Amino acid sequence: MTIDSLSTASAARPIERHPAGYDAAPASGGAARAPATAVETAAAVKGAAAVPTLDQVSQAVSQLNQSPQARAQGLEFSIDKDSKRTVVKVIDQTTKEVLRQIPSPEALEIAKSLGSASHNAGLLIKQTA
């Protein structure tokens, strides 16, 4: 590799060419793999992921809440009973006040109102004339 000075005009650098037997595989001994095609990438993104059950999510949430890292960071994980969504709260360690909640309580209320089975399902605003 060469470093050219800004004040000097240098000739164009030659293109690096590799010998015929050059192997671009990493030194770890892995086999060289061609880049993924667009079809392979799209299939990987659209691939059906295993959906965890509510029991599995509850167990994962309880394990997260017991972890020392979550406690040290002031994180609390839970599952909203109505929407069945995972909720993360950032809690101040000294005052035990909720500093931030994701999703917000308002977003959970909107999800609850959109998911209700009443005849007004899907309405966000109830107005009377």
Side-chain angles (χ1 to χ4, degrees):
M1 179 174 156
T2 60
I3 299 175
D4 296 332
S5 172
L6 293 177
S7 63
T8 62
S10 63
R13 291 189 192 128
I15 298 173
E16 290 186 25
R17 299 192 189 264
H18 301 289
Y22 180 78
D23 185 13
S28 63
R33 181 180 176 335
T37 65
V39 174
E40 290 173 337
T41 304
V45 171
K46 292 179 183 178
V51 178
T53 64
L54 187 57
D55 291 336
Q56 290 173 329
V57 173
S58 298
Q59 183 180 11
V61 165
S62 67
Q63 288 175 351
L64 283 171
N65 283 331
Q66 293 173 1
S67 73
Q69 293 168 336
R71 289 183 188 166
Q73 300 280 331
L75 296 176
E76 180 182 301
F77 299 89
S78 62
I79 299 173
D80 183 56
K81 290 181 174 68
D82 297 327
S83 66
K84 304 289 190 263
R85 294 183 184 263
T86 306
V87 178
V88 180
K89 293 180 184 177
V90 180
I91 299 177
D92 185 352
Q93 295 292 346
T94 56
T95 64
K96 304 299 181 196
E97 176 186 1
V98 176
L99 301 175
R100 175 103 179 184
Q101 178 178 324
I102 303 167
S104 67
E106 296 84 9
L108 289 173
E109 286 298 319
I110 290 171
K112 182 180 171 182
S113 68
L114 288 174
S116 67
S118 67
H119 67 281
N120 291 331
L123 296 178
L124 291 176
I125 301 173
K126 294 180 182 177
Q127 282 186 333
T128 57

